[in-house]
Amino acid sequence: IIKEIQMTDSNFSGRMAKITGQALNNKDMGKTFARLSNGALIVEGAGSLKGNAVKSMIKLLEQEEQGIIVILEDTKINKNKLLDNYKVLHQNFNLRIDIQAMDNDSLVMFAKKYALEQEYAIDELGVLALYTRISDLQTSEHSVTTKEVKEIVEEAIHHAGRKNMSHFMDILLGKRYDDEDMIILREKDFV
């Protein structure tokens, strides 16, 4: 978001700071905002902001000469608590973006697309093995990322590229490539 603003807004100075909500509670908000005039402040863990810090921030945001962009980052639950505790934030923050963790179906679709970009296809049993790998990684404490899915596909590509007897037999029997001449990633490549 900040990079897009840097490219499109000539008033943006480019100065940017990232700080945790807990650390911001102990800072002089006026000095912080003055240093970032026409810039941006990203507050990680914003749910830990205390009342005095929120009041100071709101007061400074209402001054039009500041020209500062403030982004509050946190989990959905913590953001909701912060917004419920300090209703005044609704008046000063006019955009909210909630990014959901991708479900297994979305991750598999991403993996298939990524494999196609690498000129590989995934057969049906390969897709099932991919679902299993993703499900094994996905826990209540950990959401699988697209980066991890790319790594899984790259491992499968590496495995499919190894020269062995089954590799040779697939080439002889015409099982290595699909109709569009893409190398097929099979179940054994994902295990």
Side-chain angles (χ1 to χ4, degrees), residues 50-65:
K50 301 290 183 219
N52 290 338
V54 171
K55 288 174 189 168
S56 296
M57 181 187 303
I58 296 302
K59 185 177 176 183
L60 290 165
L61 286 173
E62 289 173 349
Q63 297 175 5
E64 294 200 19
E65 70 273 358

Side-chain angles (χ1 to χ4, degrees), residues 2-21:
I2 299 299
K3 287 183 181 184
E4 179 69 24
I5 293 168
Q6 283 176 326
M7 291 176 12
T8 58
D9 188 350
S10 60
N11 294 325
F12 190 77
S13 70
R15 278 184 247 120
M16 183 178 80
K18 193 182 280 192
I19 190 169
T20 65

Side-chain angles (χ1 to χ4, degrees), residues 2 12 14-20 24 32-33 35-36 39-44 68-71 73:
I2 299 299
F12 190 77
R15 278 184 247 120
M16 183 178 80
K18 193 182 280 192
I19 190 169
T20 65
L24 192 58
T32 303
F33 272 51
R35 279 189 237 126
L36 296 171
L41 176 66
I42 300 172
V43 183
E44 295 177 328
I68 188 168
I69 298 168
V70 177
I71 297 177
E73 291 182 354

Side-chain angles (χ1 to χ4, degrees), residues 105-145:
D105 292 333
S106 301
L107 291 167
V108 168
M109 291 301 294
F110 176 81
K112 288 168 120 179
K113 183 180 174 205
Y114 182 69
L116 280 174
E117 289 172 3
Q118 306 304 313
E119 298 186 1
Y120 287 82
I122 305 173
D123 71 357
E124 289 180 26
L125 291 176
V127 169
L128 291 175
L130 182 59
Y131 266 108
T132 303
R133 286 278 306 269
I134 291 171
S135 294
D136 290 346
L137 293 173
Q138 196 93 275
T139 64
S140 59
E141 293 88 32
H142 175 71
S143 295
V144 176
T145 64

Side-chain angles (χ1 to χ4, degrees), residues 135-163:
S135 294
D136 290 346
L137 293 173
Q138 196 93 275
T139 64
S140 59
E141 293 88 32
H142 175 71
S143 295
V144 176
T145 64
T146 54
K147 182 180 178 188
E148 290 171 304
V149 171
K150 281 183 179 181
E151 290 171 359
I152 292 170
V153 172
E154 287 166 2
E155 285 174 23
I157 289 170
H158 177 73
H159 186 270
R162 290 189 359 220
K163 309 277 191 253

